[in-house]
């Protein structure tokens, strides 16, 4: 097989990289007042690329470059997911970026780079390709987290994130090299073959796998590798916090799910309990720590750690059904979480505040906004009519079916814990009295930059919010079409063992 | 389609209502009342059309929701146990919507949430698929937090303070904790059906799965989860404390729905999921349930006797009356079980009436303290009369529905658990003491001067009360139409005793 055969299947990736560079260079040409066009160009480009990917890659199942890169239903599913998510993130950034950033162009271009990295993560069939994609995504996030240049919290977050990131990358890379030296393979399928033939896992391989797990654990913020997350989430600009919470987690799981099902599945009996323990620790710590938070971003950071725990339950119970469950939960979580985040962004754009107690009386002044956030929080807690209930039900049942009822039980119990702190936010919005109404237009100074606040939520954000809420309800009430797509993706995954 | 409509009318109606302009309070309330009239009408028609001689699930319909291997389908059906519950929901909802006429603060949001709650209640009663039963069950719990938290009232009892946030949070966390247990049991049952090679959530198909094949004592292990999990909502002692606290904090129409129908969901869940799917586990654990039920009756009655707040009195009397339901279920006897279902119906109507009247008094006097309220009958004669009807039904006076239900429960219990039946009768006697004392003091004593200015309940409130009182009388005098339907459902419960042939 030559390197150039089927090259057109990589067209979406090439075009996406091209789009990022177009944005970079257009940024130099556009006048200051027209920079927000870049956002719209990115959105249009992403819509085009989504359509193109669906048309070009539909029903394809090919392995490129001798197993480095998959073009299959699984990668197509995630590609579509990441590009649509990117559109949502960009749309919800526009107002924020306009008000607070000096350099707009790079921001959108870097988001596009991150999307490219995520797409490759879901498609890679080999350790080094996966590693490079993961690094590209991480670097994009390092920059984006520190984007609020004047803000010390953002700078601190950037430093923390890059140090921890580099640290965990070292773990991951070292783990990969040990795995390579013991198995002499880096392609997932070959590793699976090695594991299937090996009688037991050698200590060296254990160390390698363990280090990879540590590295990936840092990237997805699994307990005990989660300490960076709350600080980084709090410091990052809000749309990036949202993107971190949804995008980077989804991408990490897109990679991990493929890696575990195609490479490590034959040894599942050996590592299953390890992942299960990790899952229990992650969801319990995440949900318990979230109870005492005062800052919305920190609360959502811990809550997203809890969600990682739920997804790890699916990895521990790796099976066809569990793989479906993971993907379904990711989709539901994305809608839900974006609904909450877009709501919080809207709130932040209006008030410049991000403490939970600042949201008091929101239901009186902005009923739609409060209702949307409440719906998102109820969904995160796993209450019905919303995505969270259906996706958790599916995911946890899958775990129970793999003889892990105890793990599913702990996960359900964690949903109860989480309800408590979500209800506290809802209580602020609905029950606590409204503070003194602010003036229609308010100007505040933020680290030397003058930011104008408006008491009216922007039309754009309201539209995005409505779409996310509808998505949350749709997944919760009628997940059938999404489950069909996921079924195809899981089938392409071909879980070994 | 008729059963689907019971869910869709409140659900879509509620969504439609959300788009009304918020300041048109009157139109909003009228629309909500129209919706509740529609559901009431539908409930009556469904109940009347249920053919009890044929029995089984009727008006069934089913849509595939998720394919193999989850095999979840949206299937609806109504049998002899759910039919009276559907009727009950229709009646209580209508009465509660009428009472909600008094809501002035954000009436739109209130009614939307109330309609969501009712959609959840209907859905639970008519679902034939475990997933959807649980789905609607949780949907019914979800709006309670806001309904109590926003529209409720905090109470200062001198020695202690009960904020509405406390009541709302306690209620929600208790109920969701209960549903955690149920959820685990549901996963276990699905897992067992998966292992048996027939993964399903359909209640009928799960009924055929031999759960003990999966591993030994499966039913003994998981029945208590269902029993306690649903039991929390049914006010099962010692997990009942959310209920009186919730009532005290809740606004009137929410209290009506909460005690009138929501608590019935718990008892219904024990029958539908517990007894029908895991009869062997039930056999092991029902003696425990009967014991807890007896504690419920006795403890609830004694607590009610020592309370001074009207809402706490009625709240604890609910705990006590739900004890009869639990005892009746636990007898597993045809008569006792029939009595339990009838008691669910009768108690639902009765407490709704109680809370409607307590709410009417509180709205006017702004206190609920039994020590202060005296001789109200002089100024609120109609309220007093209806309160007397509810009270007499509560203590089991013949001619009112409570008597028939409790009598049947006692007959069932005498056959199977004699000591419990004795405790039950004692509990009824205590009920008579505190209800009569309450009536004598609060209504029929000499009036306190500060209540001279009180006016009687409004026409809307009296209309709601009259409807509920009429149902109590009707069922008390002529329970046959209800009992025929209930019997058709009860005889199909696996392992039921006292069925000849």
């Amino acid at each position: 097989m030559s390197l150039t055969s089927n090259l057109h299947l990589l067209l979406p990736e090439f075009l996406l990289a091209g789009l990022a560079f177009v944005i970079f260079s257009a940024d130099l040409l556009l006048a200051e007042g027209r920079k927000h066009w870049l956002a719209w160009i990115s959105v249009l480009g992403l819509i085009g690329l989504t359509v193109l990917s669906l048309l070009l890659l539909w029903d394809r199942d090919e392995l490129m470059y001798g197993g480095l890169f998959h073009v299959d239903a699984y990668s197509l599913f995630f590609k579509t997911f990441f590009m649509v998510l990117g559109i949502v993130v960009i749309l919800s950034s526009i107002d924020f970026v306009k008000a607070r950033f000096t350099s707009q162009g790079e921001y959108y271009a870097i988001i596009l780079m991150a999307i490219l990295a995520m797409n490759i993560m879901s498609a890679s069939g080999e350790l080094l390709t996966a590693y490079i994609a993961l690094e590209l995504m991480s670097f994009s996030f390092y920059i984006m987290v520190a984007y609020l240049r004047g803000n010390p919290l953002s700078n601190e977050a950037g430093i923390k994130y890059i140090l921890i990131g580099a640290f965990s990358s070292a773990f991951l890379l070292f783990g990969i090299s040990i795995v390579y030296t013991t198995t002499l393979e880096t392609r997932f399928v070959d590793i699976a073959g090695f594991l299937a033939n090996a009688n037991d896992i050698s200590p060296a391989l254990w160390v390698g796998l363990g280090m990879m797990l540590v590295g990936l654990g840092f990237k997805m913020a699994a307990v005990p590798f989660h300490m960076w997350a709350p600080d980084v989430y709090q410091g990052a600009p809000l749309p990036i916090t949202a993107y971190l919470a949804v995008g980077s987690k989804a991408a990490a799981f897109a990679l991990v799910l493929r890696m575990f099902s195609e490479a490590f599945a034959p040894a599942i009996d050996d590592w299953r309990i390890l992942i299960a323990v990790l899952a229990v620790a992650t969801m319990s710590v995440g949900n318990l720590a979230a109870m005492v938070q005062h800052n919305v971003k920190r609360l959502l950071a811990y809550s997203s750690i809890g969600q990682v725990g739920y997804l790890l339950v699916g990895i521990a119970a790796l099976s066809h059904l569990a793989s479906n469950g993971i993907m379904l939960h990711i989709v539901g979580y994305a809608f839900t979480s974006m609904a909450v985040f877009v709501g919080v962004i809207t709130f932040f754009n209006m008030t410049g505040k991000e403490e939970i107690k600042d949201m008091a009386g929101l239901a009186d002044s902005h009923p739609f906004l409060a209702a949307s956030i409440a719906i998102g929080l109820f969904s995160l807690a796993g209450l019905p009519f919303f995505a969270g209930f259906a996706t958790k039900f599916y995911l946890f049942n899958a775990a129970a079916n793999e003889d892990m009822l105890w793990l599913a039980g702990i996960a359900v119990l964690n949903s109860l814990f989480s309800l408590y702190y979500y209800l506290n936010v809802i209580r602020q919005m609905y029950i606590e009295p409204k503070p003194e109404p602010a003036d229609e237009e308010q100007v505040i100074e933020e680290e030397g930059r003058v930011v104008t606040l408006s008491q009216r939520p922007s039309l754009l954000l309201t539209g995005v919010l409505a779409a996310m809420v509808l998505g949350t309800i749709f997944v919760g009430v009628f997940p059938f079409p999404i489950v069909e797509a996921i079924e195809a993706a899981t089938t392409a995954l071909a879980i070994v063992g | 389609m008729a059963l689907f409509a019971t869910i869709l009318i409140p659900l879509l109606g509620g969504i439609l209502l959300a788009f009304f302009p918020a300041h048109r309070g009157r139109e909003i309330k009228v629309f909500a009342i129209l919706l509740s009239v529609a559901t009431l009408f539908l409930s009556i028609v469904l109940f009347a059309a249920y053919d009890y001689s044929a029995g089984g699930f009727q008006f069934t319909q089913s849509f595939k929701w998720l394919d193999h291997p989850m095999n979840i389908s949206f299937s609806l059906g109504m049998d002899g146990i759910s039919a009276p519950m559907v009727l009950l929901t229709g009646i209580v909802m209508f009465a509660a919507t009428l009472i909600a006429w008094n809501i002035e603060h954000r009436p739109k949001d209130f009614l939307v949430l109330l309609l969501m709650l009712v959609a959840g209640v209907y859905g639970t009663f008519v679902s034939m698929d475990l997933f959807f039963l649980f789905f609607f069950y949780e949907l019914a719990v979800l709006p309670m937090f806001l309904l109590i938290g926003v529209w409720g009232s905090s109470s200062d009892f001198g020695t202690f303070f009960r904020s509405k946030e406390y009541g709302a949070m306690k209620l929600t966390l208790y109920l969701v904790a209960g549903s955690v247990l149920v959820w685990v049991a549901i996963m276990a049952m699905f897992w067992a059906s998966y292992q048996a090679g027939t993964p399903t959530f359909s209640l009928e198909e799960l009924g055929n799965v031999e759960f003990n094949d999966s591993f030994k004592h499966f039913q003994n292990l998981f029945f208590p989860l269902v029993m306690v999990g649903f039991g929390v909502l049914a006010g099962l002692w010692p997990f009942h404390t959310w209920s009186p606290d919730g009532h005290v904090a809740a606004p009137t129409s929410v209290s009506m729905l909460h005690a009138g129908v929501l608590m019935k969901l718990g008892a219904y869940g024990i029958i539908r999921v517990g007894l029908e799917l895991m009869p062997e586990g039930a056999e092991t654990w029902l003696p425990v349930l009967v014991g807890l039920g007896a504690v419920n009756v006795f403890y609830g009655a004694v607590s009610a006797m020592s309370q001074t707040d009207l809402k706490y009195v009625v709240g604890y009397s609910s705990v006590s009356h739900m004890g009869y339901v639990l005892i009746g279920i636990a007898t597993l006897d045809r008569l006792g079980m029939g009595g339990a279902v009838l008691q669910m119906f009768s108690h639902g109507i009765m407490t709704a009436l109680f809370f409607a009247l307590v709410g009417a008094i509180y709205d006017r006097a702004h206190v609920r303290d039994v020590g202060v309220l005296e001789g109200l009958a002089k100024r609120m004669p109609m309220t007093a009369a209806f309160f007397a009807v509810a009270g007499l039904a509560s203590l089991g006076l013949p001619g009112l529905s409570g008597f028939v239900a409790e009598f049947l429960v006692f007959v069932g219990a005498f056959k199977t658990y004699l000591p419990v039946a004795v405790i039950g009768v004692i509990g009824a006697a205590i009920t008579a003491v505190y209800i009569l004392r309450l009536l004598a003091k609060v209504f029929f004593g000499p009036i306190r001067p500060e209540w001279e200015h009180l006016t009687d309940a409004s026409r809307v409130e009296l209309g709601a009360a009259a409807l509920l009182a009429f149902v109590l009388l009707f069922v008390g005098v002529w329970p046959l139409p209800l009992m025929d339907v209930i019997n058709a459902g009860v005889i199909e419960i696996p392992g039921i005793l006292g069925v000849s042939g």
Side-chain angles (χ1 to χ4, degrees):
Chain A
M1 195 198 295
S2 85
L3 280 182
T4 47
S5 71
N6 277 339
L7 202 59
H8 67 285
L9 294 181
L10 291 179
L11 204 57
E13 275 75 22
F14 288 133
L15 288 177
L16 188 53
L19 182 63
F21 285 109
V22 166
I23 300 289
F24 269 130
S25 26
D27 183 37
L28 303 173
L29 304 174
L30 276 176
E32 194 56 48
R34 294 179 181 165
K35 296 265 187 184
H36 60 275
W37 287 10
L38 295 170
W40 294 104
I41 299 173
S42 314
V43 167
L44 286 179
L46 282 173
I47 292 174
L49 282 172
T50 312
V51 175
L52 175 74
S53 306
L54 286 172
L55 291 178
L56 185 69
L57 308 177
W58 190 262
D59 233 2
R60 291 269 184 176
D61 192 0
E62 319 224 359
L63 205 51
M64 306 193 51
Y65 305 127
L68 301 192
F69 197 88
H70 287 271
V71 178
D72 55 7
Y74 182 81
S75 64
L76 179 63
F77 175 82
F78 273 107
K79 242 173 241 181
T80 318
F81 174 83
F82 291 133
M83 289 198 273
V84 174
L85 180 67
I87 293 171
V88 175
V89 169
I90 291 176
L91 286 179
S92 49
S93 302
I94 293 177
D95 290 339
F96 192 96
V97 169
K98 243 193 270 183
R100 289 188 167 76
F101 289 164
T102 37
S103 42
Q104 302 190 20
E106 291 95 332
Y107 178 85
Y108 298 115
I110 292 168
I111 287 186
L112 293 176
M113 281 298 188
I115 298 172
L116 174 65
M118 291 171 184
N119 286 353
I120 299 175
M121 278 167 81
S122 70
S124 54
E126 187 254 359
L127 289 175
L128 281 175
T129 316
Y131 173 77
I132 291 168
L134 185 62
E135 282 304 276
L136 179 58
M137 181 184 84
S138 298
F139 273 90
S140 313
F141 273 114
Y142 299 150
I143 303 171
M144 290 190 280
V145 164
Y147 219 89
L148 281 170
R149 261 183 302 186
N151 183 330
L153 271 182
S154 179
N155 285 324
E156 182 193 327
I159 300 274
K160 263 190 190 148
Y161 195 32
I162 196 165
L163 286 178
I164 294 283
F167 187 61
S168 57
S169 293
F171 265 102
L172 185 58
L173 200 55
F174 197 25
I176 290 175
S177 59
I178 297 179
V179 170
Y180 175 70
T181 48
T182 43
T183 63
L184 297 179
E185 308 288 356
T186 58
R187 284 188 306 180
F188 293 165
V189 272
D190 297 331
I191 295 175
F194 179 89
L195 288 175
N197 291 327
N199 292 324
D200 58 334
I201 301 179
S202 69
L205 188 52
W206 261 123
V207 172
L209 292 179
M211 288 188 134
M212 282 182 64
L213 197 59
V214 172
L216 291 168
F218 269 114
K219 296 283 180 196
M220 61 172 96
V223 174
F225 316 113
H226 68 289
M227 313 77 67
W228 59 271
D231 291 342
V232 171
Y233 276 51
Q234 190 182 4
L238 249 171
I240 295 308
T241 311
Y243 202 27
L244 261 178
V246 182
S248 80
K249 302 243 144 110
F253 273 94
L255 172 62
V256 165
L257 181 57
R258 191 193 281 276
M259 191 188 277
F260 277 72
S261 26
E262 291 189 350
F264 303 142
I268 185 163
D269 293 330
D270 293 309
W271 52 258
R272 163 171 280 169
I273 187 69
L274 206 64
I275 302 283
V277 170
L278 204 62
V280 171
T282 306
M283 58 194 172
S284 307
V285 170
N287 284 320
L288 291 175
M291 287 185 188
V292 294
Q293 302 305 320
H294 305 291
N295 180 289
V296 176
K297 283 162 144 184
R298 288 186 85 84
L299 178 107
L300 291 170
Y302 279 109
S303 123
S304 83
I305 292 173
Q307 300 287 339
V308 169
Y310 302 145
L311 290 168
L312 281 172
V313 169
I315 299 282
L318 192 63
S319 67
H320 189 92
L321 203 58
S323 159
N324 282 358
I326 290 174
M327 282 186 262
L328 184 62
H329 191 65
I330 287 177
V331 173
Y333 171 68
F335 276 119
T336 305
S337 206
M338 285 314 291
V340 175
F341 270 111
V342 174
V344 174
I345 292 171
T346 314
F347 177 75
F348 185 73
N349 286 351
M350 290 189 305
T351 60
K353 293 175 179 160
E354 48 181 47
E355 294 291 309
I356 296 170
K357 66 175 185 329
D358 294 329
M359 299 170 92
L362 193 62
D364 280 319
S365 52
H366 298 91
F368 174 73
L369 182 58
S372 304
I373 297 177
I375 285 175
L377 294 175
F378 276 134
S379 174
L380 283 176
L383 287 173
F385 217 66
F386 310 123
F389 180 75
T391 61
K392 275 187 187 172
F393 195 91
Y394 199 111
L395 181 61
F396 298 162
N397 261 314
N401 282 0
E402 291 298 302
D403 296 358
M404 301 189 96
L405 185 65
W406 62 275
L407 186 58
I410 294 176
V412 174
L413 190 63
N414 264 286
S415 294
L416 171 67
F417 296 157
S418 71
L419 182 62
Y420 171 74
Y421 58 82
Y422 294 131
L423 283 182
N424 268 332
V425 180
I426 293 171
R427 196 189 86 183
Q428 285 294 337
M429 296 190 300
Y430 277 86
I431 302 178
E432 297 300 325
K434 190 164 42 171
E436 291 299 300
D439 303 329
E440 189 64 12
E441 287 264 303
Q442 206 185 344
V443 178
I444 57 165
E445 270 217 3
E446 238 174 46
E447 286 86 33
R449 250 180 96 71
V450 176
V451 179
T452 311
L453 303 172
S454 136
Q455 280 302 297
R456 237 174 257 121
S458 85
L459 209 58
L460 174 66
L461 280 177
T462 308
V464 177
L465 192 55
M468 292 300 106
V469 168
L470 284 180
T472 305
I473 294 174
F474 181 77
V475 176
V477 179
F478 190 59
F480 184 74
I482 293 169
V483 171
E484 286 288 280
I486 286 172
E487 186 69 35
T490 299
T491 310
L493 203 56
I495 299 163
V496 193
Chain B
M1 275 320 270
L3 285 177
F4 199 8
T6 58
I7 304 169
L8 278 186
I9 291 175
L11 198 63
L12 295 184
I15 292 170
L16 204 63
L17 199 61
F19 290 99
F20 275 51
H23 61 275
R24 308 298 290 261
R26 200 181 170 80
E27 283 81 355
I28 287 166
K29 287 171 188 168
V30 168
F31 183 67
I33 289 175
L34 287 179
L35 287 173
S36 68
V37 169
T39 51
L40 173 63
F41 177 73
L42 196 60
S43 305
I44 294 174
V45 169
L46 276 168
F47 181 82
Y50 182 81
D51 178 5
Y52 57 83
S53 51
F57 282 101
Q58 296 179 12
F59 315 109
T60 54
Q61 59 184 136
S62 184
F63 311 100
K64 194 110 210 115
W65 196 69
L66 275 187
D67 264 337
H68 191 81
M70 290 302 266
N71 286 338
I72 298 174
S73 47
F74 182 67
S75 22
L76 303 176
M78 190 175 85
D79 75 342
I81 296 172
S82 40
M85 295 299 110
V86 167
L87 182 62
L88 170 72
T89 312
I91 297 171
V92 175
M93 172 59 184
F94 175 63
T97 324
L98 285 183
I99 296 292
W101 191 265
N102 294 337
I103 298 274
E104 295 300 334
H105 174 62
R106 303 219 304 251
K108 183 176 86 171
D109 303 1
F110 182 84
L111 289 166
V112 169
L113 289 169
L114 209 62
L115 287 163
M116 292 293 138
L117 188 156
V118 169
V121 171
Y122 271 120
T124 314
F125 285 139
V126 301
S127 283
M128 287 170 65
D129 185 282
L130 198 49
F131 172 81
F132 276 99
L133 189 144
F134 190 55
F135 179 100
F136 287 117
Y137 176 81
E138 296 248 299
L139 182 61
V141 172
L142 164 87
M144 286 301 272
F145 180 78
L146 289 174
L147 282 172
I148 295 179
V150 179
W151 291 272
S153 50
S154 306
S155 313
D156 192 353
F157 295 101
T159 48
F160 65 102
F161 179 75
R162 283 280 181 269
S163 72
K164 54 185 182 175
E165 290 90 344
Y166 171 86
M169 187 64 96
K170 183 170 183 176
L171 177 140
T172 313
L173 291 183
Y174 260 77
L175 297 190
V176 176
S179 63
V180 165
L181 300 180
V182 175
W183 195 340
V184 172
I186 290 176
M187 289 193 293
M189 284 189 265
F190 177 66
W191 170 37
S193 75
Y194 186 82
Q195 282 191 326
T198 51
T200 180
F201 281 100
S202 150
L203 285 171
E204 284 183 318
E205 287 170 37
L206 278 174
N208 299 327
V209 174
E210 203 43 70
F211 289 120
N212 279 337
D213 283 355
S214 299
F215 57 84
K216 257 197 159 128
H217 305 305
F218 179 97
Q219 298 201 6
N220 289 344
L221 198 60
F222 290 107
F223 180 81
L225 294 190
V226 173
M227 182 177 94
V228 175
F230 281 119
V232 172
L233 188 52
L236 176 72
W237 185 88
F239 308 108
H240 64 284
T241 59
W242 61 270
S243 170
D245 281 334
H247 283 308
V248 169
T252 305
S253 35
V254 173
S255 275
M256 291 169 70
L257 278 169
H258 162 184
V261 281
L262 212 59
M263 289 177 85
K264 310 301 171 291
L265 290 183
Y268 178 82
I270 294 180
I271 299 178
R272 182 107 300 161
V273 182
L275 297 189
E276 294 194 352
L277 298 186
M278 295 191 276
E280 289 167 42
E283 229 165 276
T284 318
W285 285 95
L286 284 184
V288 176
L289 184 64
V290 90
L292 292 176
V295 176
N296 257 72
V297 169
F298 192 75
Y299 178 88
V302 172
S303 304
M305 195 157 64
S306 57
Q307 294 299 328
T308 55
D309 183 290
L310 270 181
K311 275 199 161 182
Y312 268 129
V313 174
V314 182
Y316 276 106
S317 95
S318 279
V319 172
S320 168
H321 281 96
M322 285 309 287
Y324 293 119
V325 174
L326 297 173
I327 292 176
I329 290 174
T331 58
L332 207 59
D333 175 85
R334 181 181 170 177
L335 291 177
M337 185 77 72
V341 179
L342 185 61
Q343 171 77 345
M344 280 157 73
F345 181 86
S346 139
H347 172 256
I349 302 285
M350 182 181 84
T351 5
L353 180 53
F354 263 135
F355 279 116
L357 299 170
V358 171
I361 296 170
Y362 182 63
D363 280 349
R364 288 161 182 78
H366 304 292
V367 288
R368 294 187 305 256
D369 190 347
V370 181
V372 182
L373 294 167
E374 277 175 14
L376 298 186
K378 302 271 183 313
R379 287 287 164 265
M380 306 178 76
M382 296 304 284
T383 312
F386 284 124
F387 204 95
V389 173
L392 295 176
S394 163
L395 58 82
L397 187 80
L400 293 166
S401 65
F403 170 74
V404 189
E406 284 174 28
F407 180 75
L408 286 172
V409 170
F410 291 149
V411 171
F414 269 116
K415 278 201 259 178
T416 41
Y417 300 98
L418 186 62
V420 169
V422 174
I423 295 178
V425 175
I426 297 174
I430 301 176
T431 309
V433 172
Y434 70 78
I435 291 287
L436 291 176
R437 225 175 47 179
L438 192 75
L439 281 174
K441 178 156 187 316
V442 173
F443 292 102
F444 299 112
I447 190 165
R448 272 210 185 198
E450 65 251 50
W451 307 132
E452 289 289 355
H453 70 280
L454 290 189
T455 51
D456 209 344
S458 71
R459 266 183 308 199
V460 177
E461 287 166 332
L462 288 178
L467 170 73
L468 296 169
F470 168 76
V471 176
L472 286 181
L473 265 169
F474 184 91
V475 175
V477 176
W478 195 37
L480 196 66
L482 210 53
M483 281 317 292
D484 277 338
V485 174
I486 291 175
N487 267 325
V490 164
I491 54 171
E492 292 188 19
I493 294 173
I496 192 89
L497 307 168
V499 178
S500 53

